[in-house]
Amino acid sequence: MKKEDEIREMLGQYPQYRETLFCRGYLVTTKIFENTDKYPFYSLWNRVSCGRLYDGFPLNIYFHRWQKCYLFEKEGKTAAIIGHAYNPFNMKYAEEEILKDCMEAYNRSHESFFEKVSELTGIHLIILNETGKVTIVQDCSGMRACYFGRINEDICLTSHPRLAEDLWGLRVDPFVKELTEKWFFRFGQRYMPGNLSPYRELKKLGPNTYLEMGKEFRVKRFYPLKPHPELSSERYEDVLGIIGGLMKK
Protein backbone atom coordinates (compact mmCIF):
# COMPACT_ATOMS: atom_id res chain seq x y z
CA MET A 1 0.00 0.00 0.00
CA LYS A 2 1.28 3.47 -0.90
CA LYS A 3 2.06 5.76 2.04
CA GLU A 4 -0.59 8.23 0.88
CA ASP A 5 -3.27 5.52 0.80
CA GLU A 6 -2.15 4.27 4.21
CA ILE A 7 -2.54 7.76 5.68
CA ARG A 8 -5.93 8.24 4.00
CA GLU A 9 -7.16 4.96 5.47
CA MET A 10 -5.88 5.81 8.95
CA LEU A 11 -7.48 9.28 8.89
CA GLY A 12 -10.72 7.72 7.71
CA GLN A 13 -10.74 5.54 10.81
CA TYR A 14 -9.55 8.30 13.14
CA PRO A 15 -10.88 11.62 11.78
CA GLN A 16 -9.95 13.43 15.01
CA TYR A 17 -6.32 13.36 13.85
CA ARG A 18 -6.94 15.04 10.49
CA GLU A 19 -6.03 18.47 11.84
CA THR A 20 -2.52 17.24 12.62
CA LEU A 21 -1.82 16.49 8.94
CA PHE A 22 0.65 19.11 7.61
CA CYS A 23 -0.25 21.17 10.68
CA ARG A 24 0.69 24.86 10.54
CA GLY A 25 1.55 24.36 6.91
CA TYR A 26 1.05 26.67 3.96
CA LEU A 27 0.84 26.43 0.18
CA VAL A 28 1.23 29.39 -2.19
CA THR A 29 0.17 28.55 -5.71
CA THR A 30 -1.54 29.72 -8.88
CA LYS A 31 -3.63 26.54 -8.83
CA ILE A 32 -7.11 26.59 -7.30
CA PHE A 33 -8.17 23.40 -5.51
CA GLU A 34 -11.94 22.91 -5.56
CA ASN A 35 -12.30 19.86 -3.32
CA THR A 36 -10.71 21.14 -0.13
CA ASP A 37 -13.08 19.00 1.93
CA LYS A 38 -11.07 15.89 1.03
CA TYR A 39 -7.52 14.67 1.61
CA PRO A 40 -5.18 16.40 2.35
CA PHE A 41 -7.10 19.56 3.32
CA TYR A 42 -10.22 18.07 4.97
CA SER A 43 -11.85 21.56 5.12
CA LEU A 44 -9.23 22.52 7.72
CA TRP A 45 -7.37 25.00 5.49
CA ASN A 46 -8.21 28.59 4.56
CA ARG A 47 -7.49 30.43 1.32
CA VAL A 48 -6.73 34.10 0.64
CA SER A 49 -5.45 35.91 -2.45
CA CYS A 50 -2.14 37.80 -2.39
CA GLY A 51 -2.62 39.93 -5.48
CA ARG A 52 -2.13 38.82 -9.08
CA LEU A 53 0.81 37.79 -11.20
CA TYR A 54 2.10 39.32 -14.43
CA ASP A 55 -0.27 37.11 -16.45
CA GLY A 56 -3.31 38.06 -14.37
CA PHE A 57 -3.56 34.79 -12.42
CA PRO A 58 -4.24 35.22 -8.69
CA LEU A 59 -1.57 34.16 -6.22
CA ASN A 60 -3.44 31.96 -3.75
CA ILE A 61 -2.31 31.29 -0.19
CA TYR A 62 -3.68 28.15 1.45
CA PHE A 63 -2.88 27.83 5.13
CA HIS A 64 -3.67 25.35 7.89
CA ARG A 65 -6.22 26.33 10.52
CA TRP A 66 -3.47 26.48 13.16
CA GLN A 67 -1.42 28.78 10.97
CA LYS A 68 -1.82 32.57 10.76
CA CYS A 69 -1.81 34.66 7.61
CA TYR A 70 -1.97 38.46 7.52
CA LEU A 71 -2.44 40.75 4.51
CA PHE A 72 -1.81 44.42 3.81
CA GLU A 73 -2.66 46.15 0.53
CA LYS A 74 -1.81 49.64 -0.70
CA GLU A 75 -1.42 51.31 -4.09
CA GLY A 76 -1.51 48.12 -6.11
CA LYS A 77 0.90 46.23 -3.86
CA THR A 78 -0.03 43.33 -1.61
CA ALA A 79 2.07 42.07 1.29
CA ALA A 80 1.51 38.96 3.38
CA ILE A 81 3.02 37.36 6.47
CA ILE A 82 2.49 33.65 6.96
CA GLY A 83 3.28 32.86 10.59
CA HIS A 84 4.10 35.43 13.24
CA ALA A 85 6.57 38.30 13.48
CA TYR A 86 7.72 40.76 16.11
CA ASN A 87 10.01 43.79 15.87
CA PRO A 88 11.99 44.22 19.12
CA PHE A 89 13.51 47.50 17.87
CA ASN A 90 10.21 49.40 17.81
CA MET A 91 8.15 46.94 19.94
CA LYS A 92 5.61 46.36 17.18
CA TYR A 93 3.88 42.99 17.34
CA ALA A 94 0.77 43.47 15.16
CA GLU A 95 1.60 41.78 11.87
CA GLU A 96 -0.49 44.24 9.83
CA GLU A 97 1.61 47.12 11.21
CA ILE A 98 4.80 45.20 10.48
CA LEU A 99 3.64 44.60 6.91
CA LYS A 100 2.89 48.31 6.52
CA ASP A 101 6.42 49.14 7.69
CA CYS A 102 7.88 46.56 5.28
CA MET A 103 5.95 48.01 2.36
CA GLU A 104 6.98 51.57 3.20
CA ALA A 105 10.61 50.43 3.39
CA TYR A 106 10.21 48.59 0.06
CA ASN A 107 8.91 51.78 -1.54
CA ARG A 108 12.00 53.66 -0.35
CA SER A 109 14.60 51.21 -1.60
CA HIS A 110 15.60 47.57 -1.91
CA GLU A 111 18.17 48.04 0.89
CA SER A 112 15.63 49.63 3.24
CA PHE A 113 13.26 46.69 2.78
CA PHE A 114 15.86 44.13 3.81
CA GLU A 115 17.06 46.28 6.68
CA LYS A 116 13.48 46.22 7.96
CA VAL A 117 13.14 42.48 7.36
CA SER A 118 16.39 41.93 9.28
CA GLU A 119 14.93 43.64 12.35
CA LEU A 120 12.18 41.03 12.68
CA THR A 121 12.11 37.97 14.85
CA GLY A 122 9.56 35.15 14.82
CA ILE A 123 8.81 32.27 12.47
CA HIS A 124 7.37 33.56 9.22
CA LEU A 125 7.40 33.92 5.47
CA ILE A 126 6.95 37.39 3.96
CA ILE A 127 5.51 37.82 0.46
CA LEU A 128 5.44 41.18 -1.31
CA ASN A 129 3.61 41.28 -4.65
CA GLU A 130 4.00 44.34 -6.83
CA THR A 131 1.78 43.59 -9.86
CA GLY A 132 3.43 40.26 -10.56
CA LYS A 133 6.93 41.10 -9.34
CA VAL A 134 6.98 38.93 -6.23
CA THR A 135 9.60 38.98 -3.46
CA ILE A 136 9.58 36.12 -0.95
CA VAL A 137 11.77 35.98 2.15
CA GLN A 138 11.80 33.78 5.26
CA ASP A 139 12.62 34.71 8.80
CA CYS A 140 16.38 35.23 8.90
CA SER A 141 17.08 31.81 10.41
CA GLY A 142 14.97 30.02 7.85
CA MET A 143 12.80 28.37 10.49
CA ARG A 144 9.69 28.79 8.34
CA ALA A 145 10.70 26.39 5.59
CA CYS A 146 10.07 27.35 1.97
CA TYR A 147 10.24 24.92 -0.94
CA PHE A 148 9.59 26.47 -4.33
CA GLY A 149 9.26 25.50 -7.96
CA ARG A 150 6.99 25.18 -10.96
CA ILE A 151 4.97 21.99 -11.34
CA ASN A 152 3.52 21.66 -14.81
CA GLU A 153 2.29 25.25 -15.29
CA ASP A 154 1.55 25.86 -11.60
CA ILE A 155 3.71 27.90 -9.23
CA CYS A 156 4.22 26.12 -5.92
CA LEU A 157 5.72 27.37 -2.66
CA THR A 158 5.14 25.27 0.41
CA SER A 159 6.30 24.47 3.92
CA HIS A 160 5.83 20.72 3.31
CA PRO A 161 7.18 19.22 0.07
CA ARG A 162 5.21 16.03 0.79
CA LEU A 163 2.04 18.14 0.47
CA ALA A 164 3.10 18.98 -3.09
CA GLU A 165 3.70 15.28 -3.77
CA ASP A 166 0.18 14.41 -2.65
CA LEU A 167 -1.44 17.24 -4.64
CA TRP A 168 0.54 16.96 -7.87
CA GLY A 169 1.61 13.29 -7.78
CA LEU A 170 5.37 13.99 -7.64
CA ARG A 171 7.96 11.22 -7.57
CA VAL A 172 11.00 11.20 -5.29
CA ASP A 173 14.18 12.07 -7.16
CA PRO A 174 16.23 8.83 -7.62
CA PHE A 175 19.40 10.70 -6.58
CA VAL A 176 17.75 11.77 -3.31
CA LYS A 177 16.44 8.25 -2.70
CA GLU A 178 19.95 6.87 -3.13
CA LEU A 179 21.40 9.58 -0.89
CA THR A 180 18.96 8.94 1.97
CA GLU A 181 19.76 5.22 1.90
CA LYS A 182 23.48 5.83 2.46
CA TRP A 183 24.90 4.71 5.81
CA PHE A 184 26.09 8.22 6.74
CA PHE A 185 22.72 9.91 6.20
CA ARG A 186 21.38 8.78 9.58
CA PHE A 187 24.07 10.77 11.43
CA GLY A 188 23.31 14.34 12.46
CA GLN A 189 20.15 16.18 11.48
CA ARG A 190 18.42 14.53 8.56
CA TYR A 191 18.03 17.43 6.16
CA MET A 192 18.79 17.52 2.47
CA PRO A 193 22.14 19.20 1.73
CA GLY A 194 22.18 22.55 -0.03
CA ASN A 195 18.94 23.49 -1.74
CA LEU A 196 17.76 19.93 -2.41
CA SER A 197 14.23 18.73 -1.77
CA PRO A 198 12.99 15.17 -2.23
CA TYR A 199 11.67 16.17 -5.68
CA ARG A 200 13.33 17.56 -8.79
CA GLU A 201 10.50 20.05 -9.23
CA LEU A 202 11.17 21.80 -5.90
CA LYS A 203 14.20 23.52 -4.38
CA LYS A 204 14.66 24.78 -0.84
CA LEU A 205 15.15 28.46 -0.04
CA GLY A 206 18.03 28.95 2.37
CA PRO A 207 18.34 31.44 5.25
CA ASN A 208 19.57 34.95 4.45
CA THR A 209 18.48 34.58 0.85
CA TYR A 210 15.30 35.67 -0.87
CA LEU A 211 13.31 34.61 -3.90
CA GLU A 212 12.34 36.85 -6.79
CA MET A 213 9.48 35.40 -8.75
CA GLY A 214 8.33 36.66 -12.14
CA LYS A 215 8.39 34.56 -15.29
CA GLU A 216 11.16 32.59 -13.60
CA PHE A 217 12.65 32.10 -10.12
CA ARG A 218 15.80 33.88 -8.98
CA VAL A 219 17.45 33.25 -5.60
CA LYS A 220 19.51 36.17 -4.28
CA ARG A 221 21.41 36.83 -1.07
CA PHE A 222 20.60 39.77 1.19
CA TYR A 223 23.07 38.97 3.98
CA PRO A 224 26.03 38.99 4.03
CA LEU A 225 26.72 41.19 1.04
CA LYS A 226 30.47 41.43 1.63
CA PRO A 227 33.08 38.99 3.01
CA HIS A 228 33.35 38.36 6.73
CA PRO A 229 36.73 39.39 8.20
CA GLU A 230 36.90 36.00 9.97
CA LEU A 231 37.17 34.34 6.56
CA SER A 232 40.05 36.51 5.34
CA SER A 233 43.15 34.66 4.19
CA GLU A 234 45.04 35.85 7.27
CA ARG A 235 42.60 34.26 9.72
CA TYR A 236 41.23 31.37 7.65
CA GLU A 237 43.42 28.63 9.14
CA ASP A 238 42.84 29.88 12.69
CA VAL A 239 39.06 29.85 12.20
CA LEU A 240 39.18 26.34 10.69
CA GLY A 241 41.16 25.16 13.72
CA ILE A 242 38.54 26.56 16.11
CA ILE A 243 35.68 24.97 14.14
CA GLY A 244 37.52 21.64 13.95
CA GLY A 245 38.11 21.64 17.69
CA LEU A 246 34.46 22.32 18.40
CA MET A 247 33.32 19.53 16.07
CA LYS A 248 35.79 17.11 17.63
CA LYS A 249 34.35 17.84 21.07
Side-chain angles (χ1 to χ4, degrees), residues 170-188:
L170 304 183
R171 297 292 183 92
V172 174
D173 184 344
F175 170 76
V176 170
K177 188 174 188 300
E178 180 183 357
L179 175 66
T180 56
E181 291 173 352
K182 297 288 187 180
W183 64 268
F184 55 77
F185 191 75
R186 67 179 182 271
F187 293 101

Side-chain angles (χ1 to χ4, degrees), residues 20-194:
T20 64
L21 184 65
F22 304 120
C23 67
R24 295 187 176 87
Y26 71 85
L27 171 68
V28 182
T29 180
T30 48
K31 187 176 178 65
I32 295 178
F33 296 95
E34 302 292 347
N35 297 324
T36 55
D37 58 325
K38 299 179 180 179
Y39 179 94
F41 296 120
Y42 290 120
S43 298
L44 299 173
W45 288 55
N46 302 299
R47 177 170 70 91
V48 296
S49 176
C50 186
R52 292 183 175 273
L53 299 182
Y54 61 91
D55 51 11
F57 283 97
L59 190 62
N60 304 296
I61 302 177
Y62 294 83
F63 55 101
H64 188 272
R65 67 187 297 178
W66 294 352
Q67 184 59 273
K68 301 293 184 182
C69 182
Y70 306 88
L71 293 174
F72 179 79
E73 298 181 53
K74 187 176 181 180
E75 298 176 351
K77 301 182 183 73
T78 306
I81 285 181
I82 303 172
H84 65 87
Y86 169 65
N87 190 331
F89 292 91
N90 58 20
M91 305 294 285
K92 289 187 178 181
Y93 58 87
E95 280 77 7
E96 291 87 351
E97 283 293 313
I98 290 172
L99 283 173
K100 181 181 178 182
D101 290 347
C102 287
M103 189 174 290
E104 289 175 351
Y106 179 87
N107 290 335
R108 288 195 298 273
S109 70
H110 182 271
E111 291 74 17
S112 294
F113 173 69
F114 285 105
E115 284 176 5
K116 182 58 63 178
V117 166
S118 297
E119 292 178 359
L120 305 179
T121 185
I123 303 176
H124 53 260
L125 187 81
I126 296 175
I127 303 172
L128 204 153
N129 185 358
E130 182 184 7
T131 320
K133 180 185 175 184
V134 185
T135 302
I136 297 136
V137 59
Q138 304 159 293
D139 54 84
C140 291
S141 298
M143 290 185 288
R144 174 56 61 218
C146 178
Y147 295 86
F148 66 92
R150 192 180 293 272
I151 306 173
N152 301 325
E153 295 301 316
D154 304 318
I155 285 170
C156 173
L157 296 95
T158 184
S159 54
H160 293 75
R162 177 58 196 262
L163 176 62
E165 177 188 335
D166 290 346
L167 292 170
W168 277 276
L170 304 183
R171 297 292 183 92
V172 174
D173 184 344
F175 170 76
V176 170
K177 188 174 188 300
E178 180 183 357
L179 175 66
T180 56
E181 291 173 352
K182 297 288 187 180
W183 64 268
F184 55 77
F185 191 75
R186 67 179 182 271
F187 293 101
Q189 294 185 350
R190 299 175 66 177
Y191 292 104
M192 294 289 104

